[in-house]
């Protein structure tokens, strides 16, 4: 239970879903974690939700991933509180919009702001700090939708594909500069998190899950552990030679 012992991580979107699962997994394996989310009401419940961990092991921050100053503040706050930063998990994201004709331009911009601009800002401001320490790891949560397109997910496809290529650019930049900082992306297919709630509301929870599972060769959707273990691997020194690439967790979907 010490795969990331004494490393310090920032996890965005930590109030729920993949972000919360990632934070828990990193805490279980010995990391110190700054849990960041824009949802103040949920973030304030973290001491109770994480009561099995020492409160010296984690802290929380209200963080708007789309705001430049918010990134500057959280990086300063994390370094001040824990003394260093070794891991950044960019997990915050939204899924809005439809096909290219039907998607309103404001929705298009909002999806890219939350899903892609936030990753740019996180990488931009964490690298100068992270590069001062050993074995830094930036982990960007993209999606299988960043590799395999859908006819009715134009903004989501574009933003998540952008995360994939941005991650590669960041990895090459850090390597060229001689920084001990890696950058990789993770590409899950459907995972049972609140991002599926609109589908569950439309079809009913059981039918929605079954409907999504029929699109996957393994005939099931993922769970948060599938992704949090991948995050743990990339956060740990086990992956010290892995950068500029991706982990695809899609039950075989992209193999079709």
């Amino acid at each position: 239970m010490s795969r990331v012992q004494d490393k310090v991580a920032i996890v965005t979107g930590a109030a729920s879903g993949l972000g919360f699962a990632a934070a828990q997994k990193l805490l279980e394996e010995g990391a110190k974690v700054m849990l960041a989310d824009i949802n103040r009401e949920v973030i304030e419940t973290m001491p109770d939700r994480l009561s099995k961990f020492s409160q010296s092991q984690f802290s929380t921050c209200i963080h708007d991933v789309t705001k430049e100053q918010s990134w500057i503040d959280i990086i300063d706050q994390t370094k001040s509180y824990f003394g260093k930063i070794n891991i950044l998990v960019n997990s915050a994201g939204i899924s809005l919009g439809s096909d290219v004709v039907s998607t309103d331009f404001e929705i298009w911009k909002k999806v890219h702001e939350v899903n892609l601009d936030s990753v740019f800002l996180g990488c931009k401001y964490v690298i100068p700090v992270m590069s001062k320490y050993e074995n830094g790891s930036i982990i960007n949560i993209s999606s299988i939708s960043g590799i395999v397109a859908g006819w009715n997910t134009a903004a989501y496809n574009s933003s998540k594909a952008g995360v994939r290529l941005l991650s590669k650019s960041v990895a090459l930049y850090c390597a060229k500069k001689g920084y001990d900082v890696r950058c990789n992306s993770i590409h899950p297919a459907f995972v049972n998190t609140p991002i599926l709630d609109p589908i569950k509301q439309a079809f009913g929870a059981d039918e929605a899950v079954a409907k999504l599972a029929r699109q996957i060769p393994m005939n099931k959707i993922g769970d948060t552990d599938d992704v949090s273990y991948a995050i743990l691997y990339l956060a740990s020194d086990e992956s010290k030679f892995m950068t500029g690439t991706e982990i695809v967790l899609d039950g075989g979907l992209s193999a079709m």
Side-chain angles (χ1 to χ4, degrees):
M1 302 292 287
S2 58
R3 292 170 66 185
V4 286
Q5 188 69 39
D6 296 327
K7 291 182 181 290
V8 173
I10 297 172
V11 179
T12 70
S16 63
L18 296 180
F20 183 65
Q24 282 188 296
K25 191 68 68 181
L26 293 170
L27 287 167
E28 288 168 0
E29 292 290 340
K32 297 177 174 67
V33 180
M34 178 65 75
L35 293 95
D37 203 284
I38 198 169
N39 190 329
R40 178 182 297 273
E41 183 178 348
V42 179
I43 276 291
E44 289 178 348
T45 69
M46 286 301 170
D48 291 333
R49 296 172 70 190
L50 298 172
S51 59
K52 66 179 179 179
F53 303 105
S54 166
Q55 290 201 20
S56 65
Q57 196 179 347
F58 67 91
S59 185
T60 62
C61 182
I62 308 304
H63 175 44
D64 185 342
V65 295
T66 70
K67 304 300 184 187
E68 193 168 12
Q69 187 60 50
S70 189
W71 273 108
I72 294 169
D73 292 344
I74 191 175
I75 288 166
D76 287 347
Q77 183 176 336
T78 303
K79 188 172 182 297
S80 176
Y81 192 84
F82 291 118
K84 61 180 179 177
I85 303 173
N86 309 107
I87 302 158
L88 170 61
V89 181
N90 279 309
S91 183
I94 58 173
S95 178
L96 298 172
S98 182
D99 61 84
V100 65
V101 173
S102 302
T103 298
D104 184 85
F105 188 37
E106 292 305 313
I107 294 294
W108 170 272
K109 288 189 289 185
K110 182 65 175 178
V111 170
H112 283 79
E113 188 179 37
V114 175
N115 291 358
L116 181 56
D117 294 356
S118 67
V119 176
F120 161 74
L121 290 170
C123 293
K124 175 180 175 65
Y125 286 108
V126 85
I127 288 170
V129 176
M130 190 181 285
S131 61
K132 297 176 182 178
Y133 309 100
E134 295 181 348
N135 300 322
S137 181
I138 299 171
I139 304 159
N140 296 326
I141 307 302
S142 179
S143 168
I144 194 59
S145 295
I147 298 174
V148 178
W151 70 271
N152 61 345
T153 50
Y156 192 68
N157 282 149
S158 174
S159 66
K160 291 301 189 178
V163 170
R164 179 173 181 258
L165 266 293
L166 175 59
S167 300
K168 293 176 184 294
S169 180
V170 169
L172 293 174
Y173 169 80
C174 291
K176 184 175 180 63
K177 288 290 188 179
Y179 298 154
D180 191 7
V181 176
R182 299 175 293 106
C183 185
N184 297 283
S185 56
I186 297 179
H187 298 257
F190 313 116
V191 178
N192 203 357
T193 68
I195 204 167
L196 300 185
D197 286 351
I199 303 173
K200 291 180 178 179
Q201 290 166 8
F203 296 96
D206 291 342
E207 177 54 30
V209 169
K211 183 180 179 65
L212 295 173
R214 288 193 289 270
Q215 300 177 51
I216 304 294
M218 292 182 73
N219 199 36
K220 62 181 180 180
I221 67 171
D223 59 44
T224 54
D225 264 357
D226 296 323
V227 181
S228 61
Y229 274 115
I231 291 169
L232 176 62
Y233 169 68
L234 291 176
S236 75
D237 294 348
E238 298 160 17
S239 58
K240 61 185 174 61
F241 197 53
M242 184 174 182
T243 195
T245 188
E246 55 276 312
I247 294 179
V248 177
L249 302 169
D250 69 349
L253 179 61
S254 60
M256 296 173 65

